[in-house]
Amino acid sequence: MKKVYKAHILFTKEKSRFEVIENGYVAVEDGVVTGLSEDLKSLDSLDAEVIDYGDKLLIPAMNDVHVHAPQYRNQGIAMDLELLPWLQNYTFPEESKYADISYAERMYRRFVHDLWRFGTMRAIVFATVHTESTRVLMKLFSEAGMGALVGKVDMNRNCPDTLVETVEEAIKGNESLICEFNDPKGLVHPIITPRFVPSCTPELLKACGELAWKHHLPVQSHLSENLSEIEWVKELEPGSQSYGDAYNRYGLFGQTPTVMAHCVWTAVNELELMKRNQVMVAHCPTSNLNLASGMAPVRTFLDEGIPVGLGSDISGGHDLNILRMMVYAIQVSKMHYQQNNDKAFLTLPEVFWIATKSAGRLFGKVGSFEPGYDFDALVIDDSDLNFDNYSLLHRLERYIYLGDDRHIVHRFCRGKEIAEPSI
């Protein structure tokens, strides 16, 4: 049955400005937006059920394009370390625990619940090397009705023995998940996930690239996050022209849809390759700051036409709230501007677009209320913040800066209202 939702509607078709429809209507059928108007009659939806949200705000749901589900328990811990010691002393030991299926399910339930709580209806997720635990996470997303690209992590060097797999084991585990989660109409799918070049031998990287191409699957990994990491990659892949080229040589850099996290220290030739291959950047501002990695040049990416999304990067980042990531992204861009004084800092419509429509492209037509897009939406009751009759744009800005999950009163993914997942 067709439904029509009435509220104050705000979204971004383009990165430069908000679309605002006061007391507007959005028509939805089979989970997809079919019309948008200031006038109910013009939608040709007289037989539709009309749900009136009154003075509330209706915005697209959030997309997190880089998050490590098994690091959920470490959120807010060891934030005074840099990347490589943080991995060795905290991250790898925690991920080793996910060999235990019961532990994995307990933590993953809390993780999925908190994504829901903060209004993130779609996420691109790193799991661990453990196939069965990864399967548990994918099933939890499916049961919740939320969208996800979930990666069984692949690595076979420079990590604890408890996390090492052979190339054959890694491919076998991936193949089993690909066979199970292969419904093109489903909301949960695999994504090929070599952790990063230092943890993968050339043989494993090659096998991952072949697997992605064989099954037409997306790819995710990490890129140019830390200067020490980049020097390490130069030693491990001396034939590559850049860190990005090391992935490109193995078919892991845009040959299928690709998202690379961080990209803080992007070299000129790497930037050109990213642009040519349309590799998406997962910008994770809190992680960049917490791990002392640096500040990603997001304005440069936008100017060059390189796709960008926002990621929480739990637990390098400390906050799952993508709405809050918009704030951090603007603040980091202002610091980058102060240091370089050559590129304008990010604006609110730009970061909103990055978190919704730009990030949503990896899931299909997601992140906007334009006709043909999946109806992924949040209904915001900001009445306690709107005490002086602010404009709709100022109401949204105040919510992004001052609000929290308690202001989200309804959550939708592909037209279905998503109930609170069990913990």
Side-chain angles (χ1 to χ4, degrees):
M1 179 181 177
K2 183 179 288 187
K3 293 186 177 181
V4 174
Y5 299 93
K6 179 178 183 291
H8 302 309
I9 300 168
L10 301 98
F11 65 104
T12 45
K13 284 184 183 179
E14 304 168 355
K15 65 177 179 289
S16 59
R17 63 186 178 88
F18 281 102
E19 306 292 326
V20 180
I21 306 178
E22 185 174 1
N23 293 311
Y25 298 87
V26 56
V28 178
E29 189 168 11
D30 296 327
V32 176
V33 176
T34 59
L36 189 69
S37 178
E38 299 176 350
D39 177 21
L40 179 61
K41 291 181 180 179
S42 67
L43 290 176
D44 191 26
S45 300
L46 297 179
D47 59 339
E49 177 186 2
V50 178
I51 297 95
D52 189 347
Y53 289 125
D55 194 43
K56 297 178 178 63
L57 308 179
L58 181 66
I59 64 173
M62 297 298 106
N63 305 297
D64 188 335
V65 298
H66 184 69
V67 59
H68 293 263
Q71 296 175 25
Y72 172 80
R73 185 177 176 274
N74 278 0
Q75 194 173 344
I77 293 174
M79 296 288 92
D80 56 351
L81 296 179
E82 290 190 14
L83 173 64
L84 298 180
W86 173 81
L87 281 172
Q88 294 294 336
N89 297 323
Y90 287 88
T91 301
F92 288 154
E94 177 62 20
E95 291 191 8
S96 296
K97 297 177 184 178
Y98 283 74
D100 180 345
I101 302 297
S102 61
Y103 180 82
E105 181 170 358
R106 181 160 56 94
M107 288 298 134
Y108 283 156
R109 281 191 181 278
R110 291 182 173 274
F111 168 73
V112 172
H113 176 272
D114 269 9
L115 284 178
W116 172 89
R117 185 162 67 94
F118 290 117
T120 299
M121 293 293 102
R122 313 251 184 166
I124 302 178
V125 186
F126 277 63
T128 63
V129 300
H130 310 101
T131 301
E132 293 309 313
S133 292
T134 304
R135 180 175 282 109
V136 166
L137 177 58
M138 297 177 81
K139 287 182 176 179
L140 289 172
F141 271 113
S142 293
E143 291 168 6
M146 295 158 59
L149 298 172
V150 179
K152 189 202 90 63
V153 170
D154 300 314
M155 52 184 177
N156 65 343
R157 67 176 174 183
N158 295 321
C159 61
D161 292 342
T162 52
L163 294 174
V164 170
E165 285 187 305
T166 66
V167 173
E168 293 74 21
E169 288 170 336
I171 299 308
K172 182 180 178 181
N174 274 292
E175 290 276 14
S176 71
L177 296 173
I178 292 166
C179 288
E180 184 171 349
F181 295 89
N182 63 357
D183 181 0
K185 295 182 179 180
L187 284 165
V188 181
H189 299 280
I191 181 169
I192 303 304
T193 307
R195 188 185 202 104
F196 67 157
V197 168
S199 67
C200 301
T201 62
E203 293 76 17
L204 181 55
L205 291 168
K206 181 174 183 289
C208 286
E210 290 173 348
L211 192 63
W213 186 256
K214 174 184 175 182
H215 294 283
H216 308 290
L217 289 174
V219 169
Q220 65 174 341
S221 195
H222 299 85
L223 179 67
S224 300
E225 179 177 4
N226 178 283
L227 292 173
S228 299
E229 170 200 13
I230 293 170
E231 290 304 311
W232 196 8
V233 171
K234 287 180 181 178
E235 296 173 8
L236 295 170
E237 290 285 336
S240 297
Q241 297 179 10
S242 66
Y243 195 162
D245 185 50
Y247 289 113
N248 191 55
R249 294 170 69 206
Y250 300 107
L252 295 165
F253 209 65
Q255 289 75 13
T256 62
T258 301
V259 56
M260 288 283 164
H262 308 306
C263 306
V264 174
W265 302 99
T266 306
V268 173
N269 59 347
E270 190 171 73
L271 186 76
E272 293 171 351
L273 185 59
M274 291 167 66
K275 180 178 181 179
R276 185 163 64 247
N277 292 5
Q278 283 297 283
V279 171
M280 175 176 279
V281 175
H283 177 42
C284 308
T286 55
S287 174
N288 291 172
L289 297 174
N290 289 336
L291 299 178
S293 298
M295 296 176 289
V298 178
R299 170 61 64 200
T300 297
F301 299 142
L302 294 180
D303 289 350
E304 293 295 327
I306 294 171
V308 183
L310 286 181
S312 63
D313 194 27
I314 297 302
S315 66
H318 61 274
D319 193 338
L320 265 174
N321 189 344
I322 293 297
L323 286 147
R324 193 76 74 233
M325 288 307 111
M326 296 183 201
V327 177
Y328 296 133
I330 291 173
Q331 292 172 338
V332 167
S333 76
K334 288 181 175 179
M335 294 304 297
H336 192 277
Y337 168 77
Q338 289 292 339
Q339 287 193 359
N340 297 279
N341 202 28
D342 60 343
K343 299 279 187 179
F345 50 78
L346 300 176
T347 66
L348 187 67
E350 286 176 324
V351 295
F352 193 92
W353 177 83
I354 287 170
T356 55
K357 186 174 179 178
S358 180
R361 74 183 72 188
L362 287 170
F363 302 99
K365 298 187 77 173
V366 170
S368 179
F369 292 146
E370 297 163 69
Y373 275 71
D374 285 0
F375 185 66
D376 286 22
L378 305 177
V379 179
I380 310 299
D381 182 356
D382 66 331
S383 53
D384 64 330
L385 300 174
N386 181 32
F387 50 79
D388 196 26
N389 296 318
Y390 296 99
S391 70
L392 290 177
L393 282 176
H394 284 161
R395 283 175 61 181
L396 177 60
E397 184 173 20
R398 281 175 64 83
Y399 168 65
I400 290 170
Y401 274 82
L402 304 178
D404 58 42
D405 56 287
R406 292 170 295 183
H407 294 98
I408 306 174
V409 292
H410 299 281
R411 301 160 176 82
F412 294 87
C413 184
R414 195 179 284 172
K416 179 184 177 181
E417 183 161 7
I418 305 302
E420 182 173 2
S422 61
I423 297 181

